[in-house]
Amino acid sequence: MKTLIIIRERDYVWLRTVFPDIHPLLFPICNKPFIEFLIDFSILSGSEAVRIVSDGSLIDVEEYCDNGSLWGTAISYSSIMSMDDQRAVIEKNRRFCSEEKILIISGLVFIQYDKLHDYKSLFASQPNGDLLVCNGGSLSLTGNPPKLQKNSAPLSLSLIALDSLDGYYRLCMEILGFASSPYVLPGYNNEAYCHIGRNVVISKSAEIRKPVMIGNNVQILEDSIIGPGSVIGSNVIIDRKSTVTESIVLANTYIGEQLEVQNKIAAGNMLIEPEGGICITMDDPHLLTGIKKSGSVRSLLRFLVHSFAALLLITLQLIPFLILSPILTIQGKWKKSKNIYYTGTAGETLTLTTTTIERRGFISSLAAALSLDRFTLLFSVLRGRLAVIGSSLELASDSNTTLHEVESWYHAGVFSYAEAEEWPVSGGDKAIVERYFSVHGNPFLDITMTIKAFFNRIHETNTP
Amino acid sequence: MIFHVDGSTGKKLGIAALNGRLDAKNSSELLTSFERWQQQTNLIILDCSKLDLIDSSGLGAVVSCLRKAIEKNGDLKLANLSPKVAMVFELTKAKKLFSIFTDTGSALQSF
């Protein structure tokens, strides 16, 4: 048996509008990413392999689930067109779907199952076709028909369409309140209806009222009251004298002092009333704010390696820069312009003075070959605003605001991966190579790529 | 902020219409205006129908206004809170301090 999970962008438009940075399959239901419920169910159904197909990006899901070794199953990924129906999807995944019975989970649907039930033999005896259908999607079987069909076998399953924030909120409250035992949920669970994650600091005077679910790295400060009916995500701080009741606090959120969060979803600086669909974004960090993830060891290492490379280049370029730049300025071949560029993933911008060298004559060609036009940018690397190598600098403008607020791979660099690979430095091809290295790169590979970019620029005919 | 005195209920009641944002930039303006309004009446309604956003500074100013009103044996009531502004009052527990009405008519009748 294998499982095919089909999710289309149109299934989760409602979620993307509120949470554009979280893939719906990774959206937490009681602190467990949604995809993990689907994987758990496919394993309970006897699936040896899972394929996730979508007409949207699966990069984040792929990064999270990888090849499925964490769950002891084989996970693969595939793309479909938005207009592909189920038959076309099966046809496109012919090799995966051949010679096997396939369980198809289509749409953004939550399957209410019980980890103690034997779904393997149940599905083996079920005829092909739809098993369960709801507004948001379906659960069906295809492939080899069973030898012995038992149509009357009770399914002991149900589907819930995840089609609104209210539906999501009610599902979480239901699981937390009285339906947690059928699922494997994260956290320590020494007593019923109380799941607590790792590295949780609860003040002596704080009160925890069941049912409650608390993620990892959470701080609950003095005189706070958590619960009943609260899901607190990872990396959350609940400040003094605050109350969180029948609410979901998503990861990386700070709840200020003396606040009362009741029947809400709090996420970063957003507060949502699920029933009415009202969503407010707090400008006031004293009330509610997002917690930026502390720099990981990898990002610290990346910063240190990039800073070292920048320092080395500054040392090499300093004397040529001091000698050649005034000469070229006098000759009118050293042209500066001040612009605002995107720097990182959150749409942050930085005003930079960039230089263009007109390659006419020996001195300007030498200056360009030494990449002296990038000299001043190297100081931004030391300040942690630019990478020494990354995506090519993109001008911040209204037309491409959305792109860089959403694209997590964008990280501006003094040199670009496209330059290192002698790739066209404009257009969609550039994006492909930059995206590849942003996912598969590492700080030490960046050094090699920087050297390649540096040498490749010697042959350039003009500086961009 | 537009303020006028209403005498339709037989009492001299002040109605102040707030609009836009009430935050650190203009919360002090509310405090000074409130003292001026108090010279005409101590029974005041803040009509928040056009108030889009309030932050902790704005809330602090509204609470200060309530305190000033009570100190002079008056009262301050709120009317027409938008769902978003009401959420901030609920979140900060400020809702418990105020008499909040769905419209100014109900607020006028309550005095």
Side-chain angles (χ1 to χ4, degrees), chain A residues 138-207:
Chain A
S138 64
L139 187 70
S140 57
L141 284 171
T142 187
N144 292 342
K147 287 168 189 166
L148 180 65
Q149 291 193 357
K150 286 191 285 182
N151 289 322
S152 56
L155 270 176
S156 63
L157 285 171
S158 59
L159 282 188
I160 294 178
L162 288 173
D163 55 5
S164 66
L165 280 172
D166 188 33
Y168 162 75
Y169 171 81
R170 281 190 278 112
L171 173 67
C172 289
M173 289 299 125
E174 185 186 315
I175 294 173
L176 182 69
F178 52 88
S180 60
S181 58
Y183 310 103
V184 177
L185 293 171
Y188 296 103
N189 177 218
N190 290 336
E191 52 185 301
Y193 305 113
C194 186
H195 294 252
I196 297 182
R198 286 174 281 115
N199 193 27
V200 174
V201 179
I202 302 171
S203 166
K204 274 184 184 175
S205 55
E207 203 177 319

Side-chain angles (χ1 to χ4, degrees), chain A residues 396-464:
Chain A
S397 67
D398 291 339
S399 59
N400 60 1
T401 303
T402 318
L403 173 77
H404 296 294
E405 281 180 353
V406 173
E407 300 293 5
S408 56
W409 51 269
Y410 179 82
H411 192 204
V414 174
F415 296 94
S416 75
Y417 291 119
E419 286 175 323
E421 289 291 78
E422 290 190 286
W423 211 271
V425 287
S426 61
D429 289 347
K430 178 193 73 169
I432 292 169
V433 71
E434 288 177 355
R435 196 174 178 142
Y436 174 84
F437 281 102
S438 70
V439 174
H440 299 281
N442 65 60
F444 298 104
L445 178 66
D446 284 350
I447 295 289
T448 314
M449 298 300 284
T450 307
I451 296 166
K452 276 177 82 177
F454 189 81
F455 281 104
N456 284 345
R457 297 199 71 233
I458 294 171
H459 311 296
E460 269 181 19
T461 49
N462 213 341
T463 62

Side-chain angles (χ1 to χ4, degrees), chain A residues 226-385:
Chain A
I226 308 299
S230 292
V231 181
I232 311 294
S234 294
N235 197 23
V236 165
I237 300 170
I238 311 286
D239 214 333
R240 293 168 56 247
K241 296 183 180 175
S242 283
T243 308
V244 181
T245 317
E246 291 179 37
S247 295
I248 300 165
V249 180
L250 294 182
N252 307 311
T253 301
Y254 166 76
I255 304 281
E257 278 183 40
Q258 301 190 46
L259 301 183
E260 190 171 74
V261 182
Q262 195 167 15
N263 302 104
K264 302 280 188 299
I265 301 171
N269 63 346
M270 251 192 318
L271 191 67
I272 301 160
E273 195 175 76
E275 200 178 335
I278 301 158
C279 171
I280 55 170
T281 307
M282 299 283 185
D283 289 340
D284 193 334
H286 299 292
L287 299 179
L288 203 70
T289 186
I291 297 171
K292 282 192 176 176
K293 285 178 189 170
S294 58
S296 62
V297 174
R298 188 178 161 167
S299 58
L300 178 67
L301 181 69
R302 184 186 158 99
F303 171 71
L304 290 173
V305 171
H306 280 231
S307 297
F308 175 74
L311 266 175
L312 205 66
L313 284 170
I314 288 169
T315 314
L316 283 172
Q317 290 181 326
L318 182 64
I319 293 169
F321 176 82
L322 292 174
I323 297 167
L324 300 181
S325 65
I327 299 170
L328 291 170
T329 307
I330 293 163
Q331 290 179 342
K333 294 175 185 171
W334 186 273
K335 288 166 188 166
K336 287 182 185 175
S337 60
K338 202 172 187 179
N339 288 304
I340 301 168
Y341 296 93
Y342 286 111
T343 59
T345 53
E348 289 171 7
T349 56
L350 174 67
T351 305
L352 291 171
T353 304
T354 50
T355 309
T356 311
I357 302 170
E358 205 177 297
R359 282 201 187 208
R360 279 190 292 113
F362 175 74
I363 296 174
S364 57
S365 296
L366 179 67
L370 291 171
S371 291
L372 295 185
D373 53 320
R374 308 289 168 93
F375 180 77
T376 51
L377 301 180
L378 291 167
F379 294 93
S380 297
V381 179
L382 302 178
R383 292 202 303 272
R385 303 301 303 271

Side-chain angles (χ1 to χ4, degrees), chain A residues 3-5 39 42 47-52 73-77 96:
Chain A
T3 300
L4 190 65
I5 298 169
I39 294 169
S42 72
S47 288
E48 288 160 1
V50 177
R51 174 159 291 183
I52 305 166
T73 190
I75 301 180
S76 55
Y77 309 87
F96 180 82

